[in-house]
Amino acid sequence: MIPNSFGYIRANTVEEAINLLKEEGGQGKLLAGGHSLVPLMKFRLTTPTKLIDISRIAELRGVKKQGERLVIGALTTYKQIQNDQLVLDHLPVLAETVRQIGDIQVRNRGTIGGNLSHADPAADLPALALALDGLIELQEEDGAQLIEAADFFLGPLVTAMSDTSILTSVTLAIPPEQAKGTYLKYPHPASGYAVVGVCVIARKNEQGVIDYARVAINGASDVAYRATSVETALVGEQATLETIKKAAAFAANDAEMGEDHFASSEYRKQLCQVYTERALNKILL
């Protein structure tokens, strides 16, 4: 539980941080809240030569509205997100989700950028990023690029980020008017991470017909995924208990279920169905 020896330096700008990453030749790591990185270092699953502290780069904090999207700086903490008025007004499902992350100490220091760039399959925010058509902004030496959340998460702890890029913000779509959202998870009793977590954004019209549905699931597979089979089964149908139950049965169809000592693949499949049904019942009925 003792990390390898490493150096430490604080970067004051994004450009300085990128240059420092280049100097380390891919062996440096960015430090923000540290809740994901430090445990990996203690187990020596990662052995960076230098930690580059970006926690005081002010331009990477804050929430702003651009058109029909919210842009959230990578260093914005969970506590700041859950109390931000723009989030509460336009993306209450995001505030609901971050309130379920860790404990108060984690929420005080943990950041949205750290959560997404770590790409833990059991983390809560990747599913939300998928359900809200998230765009991940990466800053590299030759400029910035936007990557769709669906293309960003490549595998467990693996993303589309290069060794010299920095995640600077995430942009989330504001759901259509009258749409509701929720995030429900079955937490691991020891860690609190999601054994299965389900994010649902949906809407029914005045006639009770479902005309919008986004369902994304984390914890169940190697990466978070959109449950498009559920979405297809919902749209155009009356919002009834029977419709929801039938659609939720497809919750595990769009990914290969993982398994570990705590939960088998069959158990995770059942959890996907149960929690999808609960989430849909909560916002549609």
Side-chain angles (χ1 to χ4, degrees):
M1 298 292 288
I2 300 175
N4 196 45
S5 61
F6 58 88
Y8 169 89
I9 190 170
R10 176 174 291 142
N12 296 307
T13 66
V14 171
E15 293 74 18
E16 182 182 357
I18 292 173
N19 288 332
L20 289 168
L21 286 171
K22 284 180 58 183
E23 290 176 8
E24 295 305 310
Q27 300 302 308
K29 289 290 183 181
L30 299 175
L31 175 68
H35 292 293
S36 299
L37 176 62
V38 172
L40 291 181
M41 292 174 61
K42 287 183 175 181
F43 283 110
R44 300 203 178 191
L45 295 175
T46 184
T47 55
T49 55
K50 184 173 289 184
L51 294 186
I52 301 163
D53 188 344
I54 61 171
S55 63
R56 296 190 184 182
I57 302 179
E59 65 187 274
L60 298 183
R61 295 187 184 276
V63 181
K64 59 185 177 181
K65 185 173 182 288
Q66 288 185 349
E68 293 305 308
R69 287 180 166 268
L70 289 191
V71 181
I72 305 171
L75 293 184
T76 309
T77 65
Y78 305 134
K79 180 180 179 181
Q80 291 168 336
I81 289 171
Q82 73 181 53
N83 294 326
D84 186 271
Q85 196 58 51
L86 284 174
V87 172
L88 295 173
D89 290 343
H90 299 288
L91 285 179
V93 65
L94 175 57
E96 176 189 10
T97 303
V98 298
R99 281 194 292 267
Q100 300 179 55
I101 298 176
D103 53 27
I104 190 169
Q105 291 92 342
V106 170
R107 293 191 292 275
N108 282 342
R109 292 287 297 171
T111 65
I112 187 171
N115 186 296
L116 295 173
S117 61
H118 186 53
D120 191 321
D124 302 297
L125 292 181
L128 182 134
L130 290 174
L132 295 173
D133 299 322
L135 296 173
I136 311 298
E137 182 179 32
L138 300 180
Q139 184 72 38
E140 302 187 8
E141 183 183 12
D142 54 357
Q145 64 169 321
L146 289 175
I147 300 178
E148 293 184 5
D151 299 322
F152 181 73
F153 305 108
L154 304 181
L157 310 183
V158 181
T159 71
M161 294 178 65
S162 70
D163 291 334
T164 57
S165 64
I166 296 179
L167 193 161
T168 54
S169 71
V170 57
T171 305
L172 302 173
I174 297 171
E177 190 175 354
Q178 304 303 319
K180 297 180 181 179
T182 192
Y183 176 74
L184 301 180
K185 73 174 177 179
Y186 177 70
H188 191 288
S191 67
Y193 278 92
V195 178
V196 162
V198 179
C199 182
V200 170
I201 315 291
R203 180 180 69 179
K204 61 182 178 180
N205 62 24
E206 293 180 355
Q207 290 73 43
V209 175
I210 302 165
D211 60 6
Y212 182 88
R214 294 288 189 275
V215 181
I217 298 175
N218 51 256
S221 188
D222 283 348
V223 293
Y225 67 93
R226 278 272 298 277
T228 54
S229 297
V230 177
E231 299 170 1
T232 300
L234 289 170
V235 175
E237 302 293 331
Q238 285 284 332
T240 65
L241 282 170
E242 182 180 4
T243 296
I244 289 172
K245 189 173 187 66
K246 286 182 178 178
F250 300 123
N253 284 22
D254 297 292
E256 182 177 346
M257 297 292 100
E259 62 181 342
D260 52 33
H261 293 301
F262 182 79
S264 67
S265 59
E266 190 62 30
Y267 185 42
R268 277 189 162 85
K269 176 181 178 180
Q270 182 70 14
L271 287 173
C272 287
Q273 296 170 349
V274 169
Y275 276 78
T276 298
E277 183 175 351
R278 289 181 183 178
L280 289 167
N281 284 337
K282 179 180 177 181
I283 63 175
L284 288 174
L285 300 181

